Amino acid sequence: GFMTDKSKFFSKLRIFVFPGLWELEGFGLVLAEALGHSLPVVAFDRPPMSEIVTPDCGLLVNPSNNKSLSKAIITLLTTKHHPKLSQHAHQLAQQKYHLLNEN
């Protein structure tokens, strides 16, 4: 739904999961916004998510395999490289989408 303070919402998250399956999904601005807030992401490996998420900032998983989604979420929540992924996420959002964390 509509949010007046996206930064407050994103600040409460450790990762962002976007398992979109709709064939007519648009650009996926919410993924770019999550990256701008330094959040590593998990998304299904299909356009447009596969055009936004890179291995440096998150994980793409097979949309027909729920176990791969669960495994990716657990991996991001427990990985030692989480801070590096967060840094890359923020850099990607700044460079590619000109989005900055509003804080």
Side-chain angles (χ1 to χ4, degrees), residues 72-85:
I73 292 168
I74 291 167
T75 297
L76 280 188
L77 288 174
T78 60
T79 185
K80 294 182 260 182
H81 303 292
H82 188 280
K84 189 173 248 186
L85 289 172

Side-chain angles (χ1 to χ4, degrees), residues 20-69:
L21 283 174
W22 190 40
E23 294 173 5
L24 300 176
E25 185 69 50
F27 166 71
L29 182 59
V30 68
L31 281 176
E33 290 174 331
L35 295 173
H37 285 83
S38 303
L39 292 170
V41 299
V42 176
F44 284 149
D45 191 4
R46 58 179 298 145
M49 287 74 75
S50 58
E51 298 164 15
I52 299 168
V53 180
T54 68
D56 290 336
C57 65
L59 300 172
L60 293 169
V61 298
N62 183 336
S64 61
N65 185 335
N66 289 338
K67 287 185 181 184
S68 67
L69 178 63

